[in-house]
């Protein structure tokens, strides 16, 4: 992404220079160096993750341009959607074919080898629209992820359900009620609680 060498050196030193020791019976043990990069809660972590996801996005766009992975065309001469990224979540969208699913799996493996960020397939689902459930299950087993069924929930919102029905909004309303009740409890006095 054409970051200058000095900046890259700073980031590398931040990731590689952390050292720690453990207290054993009140005395410090020898110092050791961290091997896993950014620690949880590090303010640099979201920034580096966004840079990684930008590289992933460029990789998917290039694969789409080369017809390695085919996204879904929205309309005549409209854009092609192959992925949507939100925080640390990703939705990958593509045409339904065995070749496309296998190429997507290969792209995810390449991304892992380049970035060190590994896909957690046990938390990943493969969904198909107007596709035989047995075929979805076979492809999900092929790449090692779970079978997803529509309607489902993504980031707490129902996907694939008829949202014109009031009953399908109940989970969203319940979530808001729960958060608001917690918020109201914080503003009550100790006696009011």
């Amino acid at each position: 992404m054409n970051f200058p060498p000095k900046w890259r050196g700073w980031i590398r030193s931040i990731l590689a220079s952390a050292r720690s020791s453990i207290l054993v019976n009140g005395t410090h043990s020898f110092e050791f160096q961290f091997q896993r990069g950014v620690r949880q809660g590090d303010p640099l972590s979201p920034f580096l993750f966004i840079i990684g996801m930008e590289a992933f996005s460029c990789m998917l766009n290039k694969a789409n341009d080369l017809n390695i992975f085919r996204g879904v065309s929205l309309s005549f001469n409209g854009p092609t959607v192959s992925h949507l990224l939100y925080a640390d979540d990703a939705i990958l969208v593509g045409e339904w074919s065995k070749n496309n699913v296998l190429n997507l799996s290969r792209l995810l493996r390449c991304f892992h080898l380049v970035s060190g960020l590994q896909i957690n397939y046990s938390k990943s689902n493969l969904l198909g629209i107007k596709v035989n459930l047995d075929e979805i299950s076979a492809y999900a087993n092929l790449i090692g992820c779970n079978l997803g069924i529509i309607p489902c929930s993504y980031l707490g919102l129902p996907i694939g359900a008829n949202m014109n029905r009031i009953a399908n909004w109940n989970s969203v309303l319940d979530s808001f009620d729960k958060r608001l009740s917690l918020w109201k409890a914080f503003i009550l006095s100790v006696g009011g609680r």
Side-chain angles (χ1 to χ4, degrees):
M1 294 179 68
N2 294 323
F3 289 110
K6 187 174 186 178
W7 186 87
R8 292 193 313 255
W10 289 340
I11 299 300
R12 190 175 297 113
S13 67
I14 288 171
L15 298 177
S17 65
R19 300 180 66 78
S20 187
S21 67
I22 299 172
L23 283 176
V24 179
N25 294 331
T27 60
H28 290 279
S29 68
F30 62 92
E31 285 191 348
F32 57 92
Q33 192 165 353
F34 291 110
Q35 300 293 321
R36 300 293 275 171
V38 180
R39 277 130 346 258
Q40 187 171 356
D42 191 321
L44 188 62
S45 179
F47 177 66
L48 292 177
F49 186 78
I50 289 170
I51 291 174
M53 288 299 100
E54 178 65 24
F56 181 58
S57 181
C58 291
M59 186 176 164
L60 286 173
N61 287 337
K62 184 71 169 180
N64 202 21
D65 291 343
L66 297 173
N67 285 330
I68 295 170
F69 175 70
R70 298 176 55 90
V72 176
S73 297
L74 296 181
S75 64
F76 182 71
N77 289 333
T80 300
V81 176
S82 61
H83 59 286
L84 302 167
L85 304 172
Y86 177 78
D88 64 345
D89 256 9
I91 296 179
L92 305 174
V93 182
E95 292 180 1
W96 188 261
S97 71
K98 184 176 184 179
N99 193 39
N100 214 27
V101 171
L102 288 174
N103 283 343
L104 177 60
S105 180
R106 292 175 185 129
L107 285 167
L108 292 172
R109 175 76 178 140
C110 289
F111 178 69
H112 164 65
L113 293 173
V114 169
S115 69
L117 297 173
Q118 189 167 4
I119 307 304
N120 187 346
Y121 285 104
S122 65
K123 291 183 177 179
S124 301
N125 294 319
L126 181 67
L127 297 111
I129 299 173
K130 296 183 181 178
V131 179
N132 183 346
L133 203 58
D134 293 333
E135 189 177 355
I136 300 170
S137 180
Y139 289 179
N141 289 334
L142 186 66
I143 61 174
C145 68
N146 301 319
L147 167 68
I149 300 170
I150 294 178
C152 62
S153 178
Y154 178 70
L155 298 175
L157 295 174
I159 305 267
N162 181 359
M163 298 314 290
N164 290 331
R165 297 184 61 207
I166 295 172
N168 289 333
W169 286 97
N170 286 342
S171 62
V172 177
L173 294 173
D174 291 343
S175 176
F176 273 100
D177 284 343
K178 182 179 175 185
R179 288 179 190 259
L180 286 174
S181 67
L182 290 173
W183 175 70
K184 288 179 197 173
F186 283 117
I187 64 172
L188 289 175
S189 67
V190 176
R193 289 184 205 167

